[in-house]
Amino acid sequence: MSATADPQATIAGTEVRGTKAQRADALHDLSVAHVELGHLDVAARLAKRGLRLTGEARFHLTLAWIDLDRGRPKQSLRHLDLATPHLRGAELARARCLRGLHLCGSAEPRLAIAELTAVIKELRRYGDQRWLANALVGRGIARCKAAKLPAAEADFSAAHTLLLAIGEVGRAAMCLHNNGFVAMLAGDLPLALRRYEEAAKAGLDSASKPEALVDRAEALLAAGLTAEARRLLAPAMELLGRCGRHVPELAVLSARCALREGDPEPARKLGGADVEFMLAAGKVDAVAAHRFRGPVQARALGWLAQARRSDRRGALAACRAGLRVVEEHHGDWPRRELTGHALSLARTAREVLEWSERHRASVLLPPNEPALAEALARLRRARAFGLPAESLERDVRRLSLASAARAKPRTTLPPELPVISFVEHDGQMKAVTVIGGRARMRVVAEPAELVRTARLALRAGRKVEIDLLPDVGEIVVVPDGVLHDMPWASLGPRVHVLPGLGRWREGRGGRRVWVSGPGIGHSEVAALRQRHGGTISRSTVDATLKALDGAGVAHIAAHGHVNAQNPLFSFLEMEDGPLYGYDIARIQNPPDVVVLSACESGLARAFLDAGTTTVIASVLEVPDVQVSRAMEQVHALIGHPVEAARAVAHLGFSCYGTGTRVAACRAAANEVPVQRSWDAPTEEGTSTAGAWTFTHGPWPENGSEEPTAVTDGRAAGHHGRAEAPLPAEATTLRPQEARTGGQRSS
């Protein structure tokens, strides 16, 4: 077996003794074995010892490889120059391969591609499989730099096949990892992470290939997981220092982490041609030139730079173009930089509504995959025994990111109901209200105080006296920031709380399921089941998930715990441990309606993202003595969930999702203007499924009133109210004339 196929066995079974030639062979094998394990200093000492012993060119060739690996190109080329005159045949082709690998680091990757293509033909002629794989890997790297990603993936795959055939499993795994890097450049972050995971399972040893840790850190950083990226960079830095390797990307990634955390100094000191660093240094013209070429993130940053150097209209167009580049890129960076910049430029109510929807952080649930289920089971066991769980939580997050995105449930825009959408940006909460086809915008003053006042009033058994919503009978609310904690149903109207405007979903119906967690009396679910029918499930995690699959109405009575940093780690207590938000992703057909008879659980959003139509849940701790009667009221009205939530609004319950199976009103076809998209003008006389129709006239971008601020107990600027306008300093935008559907409003 060769030294590269099993380096550990080579080191353990090789002794430097015998004749001069035998000792030279042993030193060469040991040097190559240590190279494979990443012990470059030891490998260099052994190769130099062999060079002193015989002066053979093969030791110069090995030292050239080692110095190239250590980031010392000048020393590597010197060894190549000394070796080349003495090499013939296959060994000369190997030297040419190393020169081609040197060219991979040049500014012009086409030179490396041409040289390595010629070398590949020679190595095939000599049947040198190992060095043929080296040349294919090198050409794949050069093709990555030239943005020829399908060809690069083909090279890495061919090298993987060759290395498996000669038994070099570890190096074959590195080829899988390289294909993950290709996916990363293509902007397919889940595929990149999945391939990195496959490489680790296939035998990639990150201790000998710490560059793999650097690549994985870059992927995690692209997903917005800065802290997780830093955790990988620390051991990578230590391993690279121990084996004497210099990886410029390490310093770049460390500076990028600091930049994401608000510290631009390391990036400014490094400088260079890194697109993100140039943008941090204010070189918008140079960065804008990247918007048509290069990796996904470089192009997106190019559009962000273009937005920063354009007028308002051009900036909004550039932000839209940047979002089209990253629309398949999972993770919040640089998407939220683009949407945030556009939000800061938005003036009209329509623009704020459009960009607030685009700016909302997405929660992508992973599909039901065995690896993720096993990771969640390990996390549950750790929690049950009081063991440290931080590393296990990181495993769950990493595996969920590496999973292919779960198919999104079919949703539409809300029916012809009034809508109020909130967005928090630049320290200010804005509300856009759409009633009767007219859109108005205002500033919400001290939203945290409004939430605190409402919650205190409910706990004290008083009526909530906060005039945050307009005076209508039924409304769709899209909250943001601290307003997620508002007990919406207690504010007066029938309220449907949605994660976004395009999240309305029709109900299906089906069987009833009852679940009672540990520490909760079983009398509640027993009485409800006796009155309404259905089945009672065991309260283990797997039994509960199985029972919820395909249910019409699911009632879960359990203690809940909120994780504010990562809502998918919020959980309900079951017999065998926590049922996390990630577990909900394992349900193939989520329940139509879910009633969470629990104190704050934070899982309403996870159920809605999985495909549940409606969740009735509380943002307060519910006293046990009041639960039974409250739940009886809820299930008596469960056919109209928004009314059920209103009946128990005094306990902090609200209706999340679609609270009615029949729209409050329907626009007659061919009678109303239809807004097909944010950018297109409305067309009269048409109506299409999924479009947002308004029955009361055109949608102006703003009314004639100045945007006003909402204060505790009083809301200014609602339709039908004659409120005195606030002073100019309390407003944020000037009145605008808006043109929609061929009509002008003022």
Side-chain angles (χ1 to χ4, degrees):
M1 184 172 286
S2 71
T4 55
D6 193 346
Q8 294 283 11
T10 299
I11 293 169
T14 302
E15 295 183 15
V16 183
R17 65 180 184 180
T19 66
K20 186 177 181 179
Q22 288 172 332
R23 281 180 287 152
D25 288 342
L27 287 169
H28 189 264
D29 287 347
L30 287 170
S31 179
V32 171
H34 280 287
V35 168
E36 290 302 313
L37 294 175
H39 307 156
L40 299 186
D41 287 340
V42 177
R45 285 199 299 272
L46 290 165
K48 288 176 181 176
R49 186 176 162 189
L51 187 61
R52 288 194 299 270
L53 180 66
T54 65
E56 292 177 359
R58 61 174 170 167
F59 289 106
H60 278 300
L61 201 61
T62 302
L63 285 166
W65 180 273
I66 292 169
D67 281 330
L68 180 62
D69 238 8
R70 293 163 99 177
R72 300 175 179 177
K74 290 182 179 179
Q75 293 90 326
S76 176
L77 287 170
R78 187 164 62 247
H79 282 295
L80 271 179
D81 290 339
L82 292 169
T84 302
H86 308 286
L87 298 175
R88 298 290 182 273
E91 287 195 330
L92 183 58
R94 293 176 181 181
R96 284 193 66 189
C97 178
L98 274 177
R99 290 191 186 277
L101 295 177
H102 272 281
L103 290 171
C104 289
S106 68
E108 183 46 74
R110 286 181 298 181
L111 297 175
I113 294 171
E115 178 68 13
L116 288 168
T117 299
V119 170
I120 285 169
K121 292 178 182 177
E122 287 187 38
L123 291 169
R124 282 194 174 127
R125 187 168 71 250
Y126 291 117
D128 193 339
Q129 301 288 73
R130 180 173 185 270
W131 277 83
L132 175 58
N134 291 341
L136 286 166
V137 169
R139 190 173 68 175
I141 293 169
R143 282 174 164 172
C144 283
K145 290 190 174 183
K148 297 181 177 180
L149 301 184
E153 186 169 356
D155 278 342
F156 293 138
S157 298
H160 175 259
T161 302
L162 282 173
L163 291 166
L164 281 181
I166 60 177
E168 297 196 17
V169 177
R171 297 188 68 233
M174 192 65 194
C175 293
L176 290 177
H177 180 93
N178 288 341
N179 270 336
F181 183 71
V182 172
M184 182 71 191
L185 290 177
D188 194 339
L189 184 57
L191 179 59
L193 287 165
R194 193 156 59 249
R195 285 175 172 174
Y196 289 159
E197 292 292 332
E198 289 170 1
K201 290 177 183 175
L204 178 61
D205 180 12
S206 57
S208 61
K209 300 290 183 184
E211 296 90 342
L213 294 176
V214 178
D215 290 341
R216 292 177 70 173
E218 184 176 14
L220 292 171
L221 188 61
L225 303 178
T226 306
E228 281 81 352
R230 279 197 181 279
R231 287 191 185 96
L232 284 183
L233 287 177
M237 191 177 300
E238 181 183 348
L239 288 167
L240 287 166
R242 191 184 304 164
C243 64
R245 294 189 192 180
H246 174 63
V247 178
E249 292 83 2
L250 191 62
V252 171
L253 274 179
S254 296
R256 197 170 287 164
C257 287
L259 187 58
R260 303 282 176 86
E261 292 169 343
D263 180 12
E265 276 309 305
R268 288 173 182 161
K269 287 179 181 177
L270 276 178
D274 184 271
V275 177
E276 192 174 348
F277 292 179
M278 288 194 293
L279 190 60
K283 300 177 181 178
V284 291
D285 291 337
V287 177
H290 288 265
R291 63 191 186 276
F292 297 115
R293 65 176 187 270
V296 168
Q297 289 194 349
R299 283 181 282 141
L301 288 173
W303 284 112
L304 180 58
Q306 178 70 9
R308 290 181 179 177
R309 69 175 186 171
S310 303
D311 59 18
R312 197 182 78 88
R313 183 175 180 181
L316 293 177
C319 289
R320 290 189 182 97
L323 287 180
R324 285 194 291 272
V325 170
V326 299
E327 61 185 0
E328 298 299 326
H329 176 83
H330 300 290
D332 277 346
W333 195 93
R335 182 183 67 84
R336 283 178 68 81
E337 275 64 25
L338 289 160
T339 56
H341 184 73
L343 260 180
S344 65
L345 296 172
R347 293 179 184 172
T348 67
R350 180 185 294 181
E351 287 175 346
V352 171
L353 192 61
E354 171 194 356
W355 289 105
S356 63
E357 284 300 299
R358 295 185 178 213
H359 190 64
R360 297 187 197 283
S362 58
V363 178
L364 295 172
L365 289 179
N368 185 12
E369 293 189 348
L372 184 58
E374 290 171 11
L376 287 165
R378 289 194 298 269
L379 177 59
R380 251 187 295 281
R381 286 194 295 271
R383 291 282 189 197
F385 290 102
L387 301 174
E390 186 178 359
S391 63
L392 296 172
E393 287 185 353
R394 287 201 299 271
D395 287 344
V396 170
R397 294 184 72 179
R398 190 182 71 252
L399 288 168
S400 66
L401 282 170
S403 301
R406 179 190 177 101
K408 293 182 179 179
R410 185 176 180 180
T411 58
T412 64
L413 289 165
E416 299 73 39
L417 293 174
V419 168
I420 182 166
S421 175
F422 297 91
V423 62
E424 187 175 35
H425 185 63
D426 288 340
Q428 190 178 67
M429 182 75 74
K430 292 179 182 177
V432 176
T433 307
V434 183
I435 302 179
R438 298 177 65 86
R440 300 281 180 86
M441 181 170 61
R442 63 186 186 275
V443 177
V444 180
E446 299 184 355
E449 182 62 23
L450 295 178
V451 172
R452 191 183 72 86
T453 301
R455 292 165 70 103
L456 285 175
L458 288 183
R459 288 193 178 104
R462 301 194 310 268
K463 182 181 178 182
V464 177
E465 301 288 349
I466 292 178
D467 200 3
L468 183 60
L469 300 181
D471 188 11
V472 294
E474 189 168 3
I475 191 168
V476 172
V477 171
V478 183
D480 196 20
V482 70
L483 292 182
H484 284 292
D485 296 328
M486 177 69 76
W488 289 105
S490 66
L491 270 58
R494 293 184 293 275
V495 179
H496 310 262
V497 185
L498 295 182
L501 286 178
R503 299 296 299 276
W504 190 271
R505 186 181 297 119
E506 297 298 329
R508 305 181 308 270
R511 57 187 170 81
R512 291 179 186 254
V513 172
W514 313 91
V515 181
S516 181
I520 302 290
H522 292 278
S523 57
E524 175 188 332
V525 296
L528 290 168
R529 187 244 185 180
Q530 185 176 10
R531 185 175 180 87
H532 299 284
T535 59
I536 296 178
S537 168
R538 282 190 62 203
S539 60
T540 61
V541 170
D542 286 341
T544 299
L545 296 178
K546 185 176 180 180
L548 295 181
D549 201 331
V553 177
H555 177 104
I556 306 175
H559 293 298
H561 299 267
V562 177
N563 186 315
Q565 281 69 41
N566 186 347
L568 291 178
F569 279 126
S570 299
F571 63 86
L572 295 167
E573 289 183 8
M574 296 286 114
E575 285 180 20
D576 55 342
L579 187 154
Y580 292 103
Y582 285 107
D583 285 304
I584 294 168
R586 298 165 56 196
I587 306 174
Q588 189 68 28
N589 298 297
D592 188 21
V593 179
V594 173
V595 180
L596 295 177
S597 177
C599 56
E600 302 174 86
S601 69
L603 292 183
R605 175 69 185 271
F607 274 108
L608 294 177
D609 286 332
T612 291
T613 303
T614 309
V615 179
I616 298 175
S618 177
V619 295
L620 302 177
E621 293 183 4
V622 184
D624 292 341
V625 294
Q626 297 177 275
V627 167
S628 296
R629 183 179 176 187
M631 291 302 101
E632 182 53 53
Q633 290 177 286
V634 166
H635 285 280
L637 297 168
I638 202 67
H640 202 307
V642 73
E643 290 290 356
R646 285 185 86 196
V648 290
H650 60 287
L651 297 177
F653 283 91
S654 291
C655 174
Y656 298 88
T658 306
T660 178
R661 291 185 172 83
V662 181
C665 56
R666 293 289 184 189
N670 303 320
E671 292 182 1
V672 294
V674 176
Q675 183 69 27
R676 294 182 183 276
S677 71
W678 296 113
D679 303 321
T682 57
E683 301 175 21
E684 294 194 10
T686 60
S687 180
T688 58
W692 190 0
T693 60
F694 296 101
T695 58
H696 303 287
W699 177 353
E701 294 183 344
N702 266 330
S704 60
E705 304 169 27
E706 292 275 356
T708 55
V710 177
T711 57
D712 191 0
R714 185 174 178 83
H718 285 311
H719 300 278
R721 302 191 183 191
E723 301 280 349
L726 289 179
E729 59 269 18
T731 65
T732 55
L733 303 174
R734 296 179 181 276
Q736 301 285 326
E737 283 190 328
R739 196 169 184 82
T740 307
Q743 303 181 52
R744 182 177 294 277
S745 62
S746 59

